[in-house]
Every structure is written in C-alpha cells, then in structure tokens.
C-alpha cells in the first residue's frame, strides 16, 4: 500500500520535472514566474492540499492523469491572471485638451450581396501541434487504444457568460480562442495567426477594391519630424497627449525629438507638395498598410482600443471638389461592405457632427456599429473630405488647365483598422467561443472522425482513411479545411476545441456514417446538423458556407434593429439610452446642444450620450419638427448613443 503511494508521488514528481524542463526548453519560464508571483499564500496552500487529496485517491497506473490533474489545477489558479494585461498599471494621462472632432445622408441598409466575394482563399498550413498526434513525451500516442492512455483532456472554454459579464467574457475569448496574447507593454497586444489571417482577408479584399478604383499602395516612414507635426499644430493639438516621441538613441539625447506616426497626413503631405505641380499630376491616390501608435490613456481593450494598431490609410488629392467628394462616399461604401459582407456586422453610414468630425476635415463620414451587450456605439471606419485645409497648410498647389491660374488640391483621407476584428468578435461570439463568418474564417471546415471503443482496428483505420480522403477533396475544392485526427482526445473535447475557435462547419464521421456512406455537417452558428452523402460534400459545403454567412448577418441585423429607437422628446430619449439603445432623434445640429446632451445624459458610472453620426438614410423630417433637446427647429435626424 505504502509502496504504491510512494510510486504515485514519485511518478508525479518525475512528471513535473519533465514538464518543468519542457517549459524551460520552450522559453515559457517567464510565464511560470508570472504565475508564482500572482497567487497568494492561501491560494497556494489550498492548491497543495487539493493536489495531495487527489494524489491519495489515485493509483500508480494513473501516473499521466496525475500530471494532468496537477496541470489542470495550476491552470485553474492561473486563469484569472491569464486574461489580464500583465502590466495593467494605470498610467496618468498628462493634461491635454480633448480631441475636437465633426457632419450627411444615408445609403440603403441593404443586405449584403451573396455573390461570392473576391476573397483570396488561403488554406492555412497544417500546423503541427494541434493537428498531429501528440508528440508530448509524457503522453505518447496510444497504440493499444486503452481509454486511460488515449485521454488527455484539459478544461476548455470560457467560464464567463457573454450576457452576465461581457467585459470578462471578451477578455477570455480573445485569449482562449488564440486570437491574441498579452504583451509586457500595456495596451499592446500580440496578434496570433488566426487574428492576423482575419486581417489578411479584410486586407486582401479591400486592397483589390481600392486598386480597382485607381489607388496605389506606397509606404512612408514610421518617424515624423517634429516640425512636420507643428505645421499642423491646430489639428494635432487635441491629440497631442497621444503622440509618442523618440527622444534618445543609446545614451545620447536626440537634437530634436522625432514623433512616431499616429497618422500620416503630416508625413505625406509635405512630400505631396513636391510631387504635385500641375493638373497633370492629379489625381494622386495613395494608400499605405501600416501600424500607428497612439498613446491612449483610456482603458485599453484588445482590437478595440490599443496603443499600437494596424490599419490602412488612404491619402488622395484631386483637382476638383466633386471628384474628391465622390471618392469619400465610394470608400465609405467599401467600409460598409467590409463590415456587412465580410464580417456580417451591420453598420450605419453617416456624416459626423461638427463636434465629432476630424478637426482638419471639411467633413467626416463614418460607418457606425453597435454592441448590444453594453449599449455602446463603435466607430467602424472613417472617410474624411479634407477640402483644401491641408493643401493650404502644406502648399499643395498646382497649375490648373486655365493658363496662369493656380489652385490648391482637394484632398481626402480615409482609414480602417484592426478594430474591425474586435467588433466582429463582440457581435457574433457566444458562451462557447468565437463564431466566425465563413468569408473571413481562418478555417472554414474541420473534419472530425468519431470512433468509439467498440470499433475494430480495421474499421478505425478505414474511418481515418475516409477522413483523410474527405479532407483532401475539400482542400482541393479551395475551401479552408483542416482535420483533427488526434487519438488522445475524445470527440466531445474536440468539438469544444473547434467551437471555441469559431470554425463555421464541423464535418463529423461516425461508425454509422461509415456504413451508410454519409457524414454530418454541424453548423457553429446555430448548432444545426445535416446528413450529407460523401459524393455531395464538395457541392454542399460552399452553399452551406454562404448560407451561414447570410444567416449570421440577418441575425445580427435583427438584433441591431431591435436596439435602434426613435425619440422626439427628452424623456423618451433618456429612457431609450438607459435601455442601452441607440436613438434616432430630430435635432437642431448645434455644437452647444450636443455638449449639453452629453453632460445632461451622463450620470454616475454612465458616460453621456453623443451623436454617433447623422445617418445618410434619413427618415422624413416633417415640417415643424423640433429638436428633442433644445426645442429649436430640427435640421435632421441624428443617431445618438453612448460610445466607445
Ligand atoms: C492622434 C494623435 C495625433 C487621430 C490622432 O481618421 C494625431 C491624430 O490626426 C489625428 N488621432 N487623428 C485623426 C486621423 C485622421 C485620419 N487620418 C488618416 C483618419 C483616417 C486615416
């Protein structure tokens, strides 16, 4: 009896030593150190006692399970710290003016065209770790098929509920689904391959569309001389506190500090002035895919608000105002399509109020999304008509077609960021994890064979063979597919694993299906399952993927519409805002009124409401309608809400 216990404990220790060595070799030591530092004494003692109790209940054959139990307990304790920023100390924001920003009509809120989009299909490589039989020295792949040896199951998934604790749910989902990892600089995040591949899909689609419009890609330096920024002093003023500066190289101070680009107007327009001399040099339509740094002091949220993020910034110059204005709306509609057609997220297109527009712009347009869980509007992307403001500042002057007549160029700038990914996660994710729209999903289908313990070795081999065969033909058809042939996990565990990662379709192959020549297609979005003959899989999958894409949008649109109310009186307006809804209300379009609404609608713990945009699609404004807040004659219907 004592011998057995000794064996058990010895096995557990050996297991831990090998694990520790594996950790060391894989460079994950800092993670362990972080863990040690993050649990208190009581937690530690409780943990040790519970491990001892579990060890006592086990036998020597349970060696591998013991290690798993220990690992699970460590993971449980670690869970709380795993989803938080390692370095989330509050930094004080230096005093600075709040950014001043500011103004139109609405296109139809049509549902996305379901014609196949010009998306580049990029089947992901078969990453060895998750998809191969385990190479973990402690858990060699089973050859005997005995259940104790084949099961290696750790807890998967989220323990926060989207409805109950949205912010905790979000913190968990981005990490657990392996989209992001935290980093040692607060407000900066690592985008893991799944996240980056979603960005790649957006980028590939948008890039092809703007090239079709005649826009070319370029790249300007990350660093901006101080004098360039000072040239645009008035517009940068509101953002000054967010600009990060390089002031030193090694031990020596730089003669003049150099800014890290928060946006590239100043970097690009100084050069545009040297390139644009004549009307023949116009239009100049450039875009760059880049990273930018804005030293935010508001609470950071992965994808939604980070100090460094990825974006595209378009900077164009035209000879005439109408040409520039046409482009503003063309780009705005591309942004709508990114959200609605690719990400299945409904948005409203509109013009920003004078308060909310970019101070350097003649007018700003945007697409606005909405997060029902916290009742917040979120600006999805912006397309600005800069008018001649910057060309006058940077001397972008050209000889017109009329002899001896010069004019300043008409300019636009427009941008879309990795915030898109955050809005998509928030819109579709559920308590099981991500729900990815097929058009941007890293993987669209995963093949999961479901053998049972009664299956003969021969039948099992046939099932694995068929799974391989289906996988190969699906891949050949240009669908992003993977297979999960791991033998040391149960089918149920694998379901959770792929559900957490949001794969739109799971193709299951069970013993009965092997007899009947069929397989099951299970949808991630609804959980619905259908039987499909092997010979029909290749034709059914693309259709089902498009059905999922369309259904996800329809569902999100119904929710979005359910959160949109109309109010013509203050009390109704406030009641809707407090129901966490967006409100369409008639208003006088005055800066002071917006300021007043913001103040008056704020309460302890709840920020004030502001205009999200003046929708391009306007309800009829009956003559005599008055502003809901000031009682003055209304000029338009504005969309109001609390926002990110
Ligand atoms: C932060 C620091 C310094 C926003 C900033 O929207 C300057 C700025 O100019 C700044 N945050 N902005 C406005 C950016 C305007 C515009 N630029 C090109 C876009 C889209 C892409």
């Amino acid at each position: 009896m004592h011998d057995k216990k000794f064996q058990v404990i010895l096995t557990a220790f050996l297991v831990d030593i090998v694990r520790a060595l594996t950790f060391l070799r894989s460079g994950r030591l800092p993670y362990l150190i972080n863990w040690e530092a993050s649990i208190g004494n009581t937690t530690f003692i409780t943990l040790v006692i519970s491990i001892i109790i579990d060890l006592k209940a086990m036998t020597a054959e349970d060696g591998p399970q013991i290690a798993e139990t220990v690992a699970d307990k460590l993971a449980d304790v670690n869970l709380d710290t795993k989803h938080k920023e390692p370095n989330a100390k509050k930094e004080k924001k230096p005093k600075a003016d709040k950014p001043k920003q500011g103004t139109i009509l609405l296109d139809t809120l049509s549902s996305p065209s379901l014609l196949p989009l010009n998306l580049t299909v990029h089947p992901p490589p078969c990453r060895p770790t998750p998809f191969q039989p385990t190479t973990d020295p402690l858990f060699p792949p089973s050859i005997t098929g005995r259940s104790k040896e084949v099961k290696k199951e750790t807890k998967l998934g989220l323990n926060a509920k989207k409805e109950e604790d949205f912010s905790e749910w979000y913190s968990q989902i981005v990490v657990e689904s392996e989209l992001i990892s935290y980093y040692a600089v607060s407000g900066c995040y690592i985008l893991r391959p799944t996240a980056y591949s979603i960005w790649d899909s957006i980028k590939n689609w948008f890039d092809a569309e703007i090239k079709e419009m005649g826009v070319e890609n370029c790249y300007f330096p990350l660093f901006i001389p101080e004098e360039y920024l000072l040239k645009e002093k008035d517009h940068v003023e509101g953002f000054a506190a967010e600009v990060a500066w390089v002031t030193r190289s090694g031990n020596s101070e730089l003669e003049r500090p150099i800014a890290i680009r928060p946006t590239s107007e100043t970097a690009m327009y100084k050069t545009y002035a040297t390139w644009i001399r004549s009307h023949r040099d116009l239009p100049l339509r450039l875009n760059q895919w880049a990273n930018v740094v804005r030293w935010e002091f508001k609470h950071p949220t992965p994808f939604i608000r980070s100090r460094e993020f990825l974006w595209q910034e378009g900077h164009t110059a035209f000879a005439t105002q109408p040409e520039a204005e046409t482009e503003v709306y063309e780009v705005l509609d591309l942004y709508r399509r990114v959200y609605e057609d690719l990400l299945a997220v409904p948005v409203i297109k509109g013009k920003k109020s004078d308060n909310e527009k970019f101070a350097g712009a003649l007018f700003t347009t945007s697409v606005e999304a909405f997060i029902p869980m916290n009742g917040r509007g979120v600006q999805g992307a912006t397309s600005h008509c800069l008018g001649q403001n910057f060309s006058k500042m940077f001397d972008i002057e050209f000889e017109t077609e009329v002899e001896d007549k010069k004019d300043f160029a008409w300019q636009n700038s427009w941008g879309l960021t990795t915030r898109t990914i955050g809005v998509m996660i928030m819109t579709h994710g559920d308590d099981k994890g991500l729900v990815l729209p097929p058009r941007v999903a890293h993987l669209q289908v995963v093949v999961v064979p479901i053998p049972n313990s009664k299956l003969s070795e021969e039948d099992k081999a046939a099932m694995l063979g068929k799974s391989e065969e289906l996988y190969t033909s699906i891949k050949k058809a240009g669908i992003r597919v993977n297979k999960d042939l791991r033998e040391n996990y149960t089918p149920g565990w694998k379901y959770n694993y792929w559900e957490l990662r949001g794969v739109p379709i799971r193709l299951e192959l069970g013993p009965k299906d092997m007899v009947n020549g069929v397989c099951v297609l299970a949808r991630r979005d609804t959980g619905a399952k259908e039987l499909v003959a092997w010979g029909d899989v290749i034709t059914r999958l693309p259709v089902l993927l498009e059905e999922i894409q369309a259904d996800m949008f329809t569902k999100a649109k119904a929710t979005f519409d359910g959160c949109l109310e109309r109010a013509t009186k203050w009390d109704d307006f406030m009641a809707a805002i407090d129901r966490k809804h967006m409100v369409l209300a008639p208003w006088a379009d005055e800066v002071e009124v917006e300021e007043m609404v913001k103040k008056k609608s704020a309460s302890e713990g709840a920020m004030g409401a502001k205009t999200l945009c003046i929708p391009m699609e306007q309800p009829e404004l009956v003559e005599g309608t008055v502003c809901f807040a000031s009682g003055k004659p209304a000029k338009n219907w504005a969309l109001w809400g609390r926002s990110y």
Side-chain angles (χ1 to χ4, degrees):
M1 178 68 187
H2 275 106
D3 265 6
K4 252 191 173 177
K5 241 185 221 167
F6 178 70
Q7 246 182 315
V8 168
I9 290 168
L10 191 65
T11 317
F13 272 127
L14 286 175
V15 160
D16 275 352
I17 287 165
V18 180
R19 276 192 169 259
L21 289 174
T22 319
F23 266 124
L24 273 176
R25 215 184 37 197
S26 65
R28 284 161 73 184
L29 190 62
Y31 179 72
L32 285 178
I33 289 170
N34 200 8
W35 170 77
E36 278 169 3
S38 64
I39 66 165
N41 286 344
T42 328
T43 322
F44 182 71
I45 290 165
T46 320
L47 176 72
V48 170
I49 292 173
S50 82
I51 290 173
I52 290 171
I53 291 170
D54 281 339
L55 287 178
K56 275 183 148 182
M58 289 180 171
T59 65
E61 295 101 80
D62 289 326
Q65 273 74 27
I66 292 167
E68 208 50 44
T69 308
V70 175
D72 263 357
K73 284 182 190 297
L74 297 188
D76 280 350
V77 174
N78 214 17
L79 204 71
D80 278 352
T81 53
K82 194 157 105 185
H83 301 111
K84 298 277 180 282
E85 296 231 18
N87 204 10
K89 256 190 277 154
K90 278 240 166 194
E91 280 174 49
K92 264 209 162 160
K93 182 185 177 172
K95 268 213 160 187
D97 289 343
K98 274 232 128 200
K100 274 255 169 178
Q101 291 225 355
T103 305
I104 314 183
L105 334 163
L106 254 186
D107 196 18
T108 51
L109 290 173
S110 57
S111 59
S113 128
L114 289 180
L115 293 173
L117 286 166
N118 186 17
L119 282 180
T120 315
V121 176
H122 46 90
C126 292
R127 289 179 293 163
T129 6
F131 310 116
Q132 300 296 319
T134 180
T135 48
D136 187 331
L138 295 170
F139 301 98
S142 159
I143 36 167
T144 63
R146 277 172 52 211
S147 63
K148 266 186 184 164
E149 288 175 59
V150 298
K151 273 185 201 145
K152 178 198 176 213
E153 303 196 345
T154 45
K155 253 184 241 155
L156 272 184
L158 316 175
N159 58 21
K161 301 260 177 278
K162 190 179 184 185
E163 295 271 349
E164 288 166 12
D165 189 349
F166 180 66
S167 109
E168 178 58 24
W169 170 86
Y170 186 72
S171 300
Q172 290 187 11
I173 195 171
V174 291
V175 173
E176 294 297 315
S177 64
E178 298 184 341
L179 289 173
I180 70 129
S181 275
Y182 287 114
Y183 189 67
V185 177
S186 171
C188 297
Y189 307 96
I190 298 159
L191 301 192
R192 302 184 65 178
T194 311
Y196 202 85
S197 112
I198 296 170
W199 182 237
D200 258 349
S201 293
I202 296 172
K203 192 171 168 223
N204 290 339
W205 183 84
F206 187 80
D207 202 59
E209 291 291 329
I210 55 171
K211 280 183 180 148
E212 194 62 34
M213 283 169 51
V215 177
E216 289 180 298
N217 281 332
C218 65
Y219 187 79
F220 275 71
L222 168 70
F223 300 113
I224 306 184
E226 189 184 26
E227 64 268 25
Y228 283 24
L229 273 192
L230 292 179
K231 224 172 166 32
E232 202 226 359
K233 216 168 69 215
D234 291 349
H235 304 129
V236 169
E237 205 172 71
F239 303 115
E242 290 177 16
V243 180
W245 296 90
V246 179
T247 58
R248 207 176 70 200
S249 91
N251 285 331
S252 36
E253 294 294 313
L254 298 189
E255 216 162 275
R256 301 210 61 176
I258 296 173
I260 303 175
R261 71 171 160 236
T263 179
S264 302
E265 277 82 354
T266 53
M268 296 171 103
Y269 300 165
K270 188 89 168 125
T271 311
Y272 278 23
T274 67
W275 290 345
I276 300 169
R277 300 280 181 209
S278 140
H279 63 90
R280 285 179 215 90
D281 301 321
L282 294 170
L284 177 65
R285 304 173 84 181
L286 297 183
N287 175 68
Q288 74 174 5
W289 292 96
N291 59 336
V292 279
V293 170
R294 294 179 185 174
W295 215 253
E296 295 269 2
F297 290 88
K298 284 190 192 157
H299 183 67
T301 307
F303 299 115
I304 300 290
R305 190 185 294 119
S306 52
R307 285 179 167 174
E308 180 188 3
F309 56 87
L310 305 181
W311 76 349
Q312 62 64 220
E313 50 179 322
H315 295 269
T316 55
F318 298 86
T320 65
Q321 178 169 14
E323 283 173 277
E325 282 202 13
T326 304
E327 187 199 68
V328 167
Y329 295 110
E330 268 175 26
V331 171
L332 189 66
D333 200 57
L334 288 184
Y335 289 153
R336 176 193 68 77
R337 289 173 63 196
V338 166
Y339 275 95
E340 298 199 335
D341 298 359
L342 263 56
L343 303 172
V345 171
V347 289
I348 286 185
K349 294 198 292 186
K351 208 167 175 178
K352 287 286 190 184
S353 69
D354 282 342
N355 261 15
E356 295 296 320
K357 82 172 175 76
F358 169 37
L362 198 58
F363 65 87
T364 293
T365 67
S366 69
V367 289
E368 300 289 327
F370 186 72
I371 309 300
M373 307 317 305
N374 54 17
R376 301 243 196 130
V378 51
Q379 181 174 288
T382 46
S383 177
H384 311 280
C385 179
L386 304 176
Q388 294 174 310
N389 295 345
F390 281 87
S391 58
K392 286 181 179 161
M393 240 175 326
F394 286 89
D395 278 331
I396 310 176
E397 211 180 1
F398 66 98
E399 310 257 0
T400 65
E401 284 178 84
V402 182
E403 217 184 315
D404 288 337
K405 190 173 177 284
K406 285 183 137 198
D407 199 1
F408 289 102
W410 290 86
Q411 291 183 270
N412 296 333
S413 75
W414 26 273
L416 175 86
T417 77
T418 35
R419 172 178 272 198
T420 41
I421 301 173
V423 177
M424 179 208 69
I425 300 165
M426 291 179 169
T427 303
H428 303 300
D430 63 19
D431 291 344
K432 291 181 180 171
L434 294 179
V435 183
L436 294 178
R439 287 179 181 171
V440 297
H442 180 60
L443 273 178
Q444 296 169 314
V445 178
V446 60
V447 176
V448 184
I450 36 178
N452 60 31
S453 53
K454 289 181 221 137
L455 218 57
S456 68
E457 283 303 310
E458 207 181 354
D459 287 347
K460 200 164 130 196
M463 184 184 281
L464 293 185
K466 189 69 208 173
S467 302
E468 283 277 5
E469 203 182 305
L470 284 166
Y471 161 78
T472 309
S473 58
I474 297 168
K475 192 171 173 185
K476 250 199 201 142
I479 294 168
R480 301 190 284 272
V481 60
N482 226 320
K483 58 193 173 197
D484 191 346
L485 308 184
R486 291 174 290 182
E487 291 188 38
N488 51 340
Y489 290 94
T490 61
W493 189 93
K494 290 182 188 178
Y495 292 178
N496 293 343
Y497 180 92
W498 294 108
E499 279 168 357
L500 178 60
R501 284 157 183 76
V503 181
I505 299 176
R506 182 178 67 236
L507 186 156
E508 304 167 4
L509 191 62
K512 269 197 197 150
D513 305 327
M514 285 301 289
V515 175
N516 298 328
V518 294
C519 57
V520 171
L521 302 183
R523 289 174 63 152
R524 172 64 181 92
D525 61 329
T526 59
K529 292 187 175 194
E530 61 181 79
L531 266 186
V532 179
W534 292 341
D536 296 335
V537 166
I538 294 310
T539 44
R540 179 62 186 141
L541 279 176
V543 177
L544 185 57
L545 286 167
E546 280 302 284
E547 278 172 26
I548 295 172
Q549 181 83 32
D551 291 353
M552 284 178 70
F553 179 75
T554 307
K555 185 178 167 204
K557 180 81 170 86
T559 310
F560 185 92
D561 290 346
C563 293
L564 181 55
E565 295 192 44
R566 275 194 207 179
T568 53
K569 295 191 178 65
W570 177 262
D571 288 349
D572 297 340
F573 171 86
M574 270 321 295
I577 291 287
D578 287 339
R579 272 193 290 277
K580 292 190 179 166
H581 283 176
M582 298 172 276
V583 188
L584 206 49
W587 81 303
D589 203 341
E590 289 174 334
V591 171
E592 313 77 61
V593 178
E594 182 162 1
E595 295 288 2
M596 180 272 280
V597 173
K598 210 184 259 180
K599 270 194 202 127
K600 211 169 139 188
S601 58
S603 59
E604 230 172 88
M607 67 172 76
K610 62 177 190 177
T611 57
L612 303 175
C613 69
I614 299 151
M616 285 171 66
E617 192 178 74
Q618 287 275 308
E620 191 195 350
L621 193 65
V622 181
E623 241 201 272
T625 309
V626 293
C627 172
F628 77 102
S630 67
K632 293 184 190 169
K635 290 206 181 105
N636 53 41
W637 289 84
L639 183 69
W640 297 78
R642 297 199 161 109
S643 87
Y644 268 99

